[in-house]
Amino acid sequence: MTDNITSVGGGSRPEAGVSALKGRTGAGAPAETRGKTTIADGVVAKIAGMAAREVPGIHSLGAGMARAFGAMRERVPGGGGGGGVTRGVKVEVGERQAAVDLDVVVEYGVSIVDVAGDVRTNVIGAVERMTGLEVVEVNIAVDDVHLPDEDDEAEPDEGRVR
């Protein structure tokens, strides 16, 4: 068995068998200390986007232009329609913490304060549960209100000329 001994801070005498950076290595070491796990920003963004969309009262994510370009991109074959999950989501991921910024569109008639609180709770819970990262903040920008008579996809008129 090999012990990885690392001295951190001003101490000149490291503790035997304990590493502040990596932990013990070798056959007798616990599995969770054998290696490093890195979580990409895109993974956290997808988790946050899905968690935000689950909240009742959220119509969609993304500011106006992002939604417009995303709708066009989804109509083009091979245009990368999978990017819709992270539309309106920006994240910063560190070694142990994450921060999330969301651009949302809410349904007309809902309490924006209540929906924002529910989104924060859901996003924090999902990201922390799935990644183990501490979510230090979830900033929410409400960009629009979806009215009941608005169509998601503004269908063009069937055409005036036949």
Side-chain angles (χ1 to χ4, degrees):
M1 177 164 98
T2 304
D3 286 336
N4 181 11
I5 301 171
T6 305
S7 175
V8 176
S12 60
R13 191 173 145 255
E15 297 290 323
V18 177
S19 170
L21 300 178
K22 281 189 150 181
R24 293 175 31 181
T25 59
E32 60 270 7
T33 64
R34 294 187 192 182
K36 181 178 179 181
T37 302
T38 305
I39 300 171
D41 291 9
V43 172
V44 176
K46 284 183 179 182
I47 294 169
M50 290 298 294
R53 283 177 174 81
E54 291 173 353
V55 175
I58 293 293
H59 176 71
S60 63
L61 270 66
M65 288 303 290
R67 287 194 327 265
F69 284 129
M72 289 189 332
R73 197 171 40 245
E74 288 172 3
R75 291 183 183 147
V76 175
V85 175
T86 60
R87 184 182 316 136
V89 182
K90 294 178 188 154
V91 298
E92 292 179 37
V93 179
E95 287 185 28
R96 295 189 178 114
Q97 296 179 326
V100 180
D101 296 325
L102 300 170
D103 292 322
V104 301
V105 177
V106 298
E107 295 288 348
Y108 176 78
V110 300
S111 168
I112 294 174
V113 173
D114 291 344
V115 169
D118 292 344
V119 167
R120 274 191 189 90
T121 301
N122 210 33
V123 168
I124 290 169
V127 171
E128 288 184 347
R129 182 182 77 253
M130 295 176 74
T131 66
L133 296 169
E134 175 192 7
V135 178
V136 293
E137 64 182 10
V138 176
N139 298 312
I140 300 171
V142 179
D143 292 321
D144 201 359
V145 173
H146 180 257
L147 301 175
D149 58 346
E150 291 178 342
D151 289 333
D152 288 340
E153 311 254 343
E155 294 290 326
D157 292 336
E158 289 296 316
R160 299 182 301 179
V161 180
R162 295 187 193 237

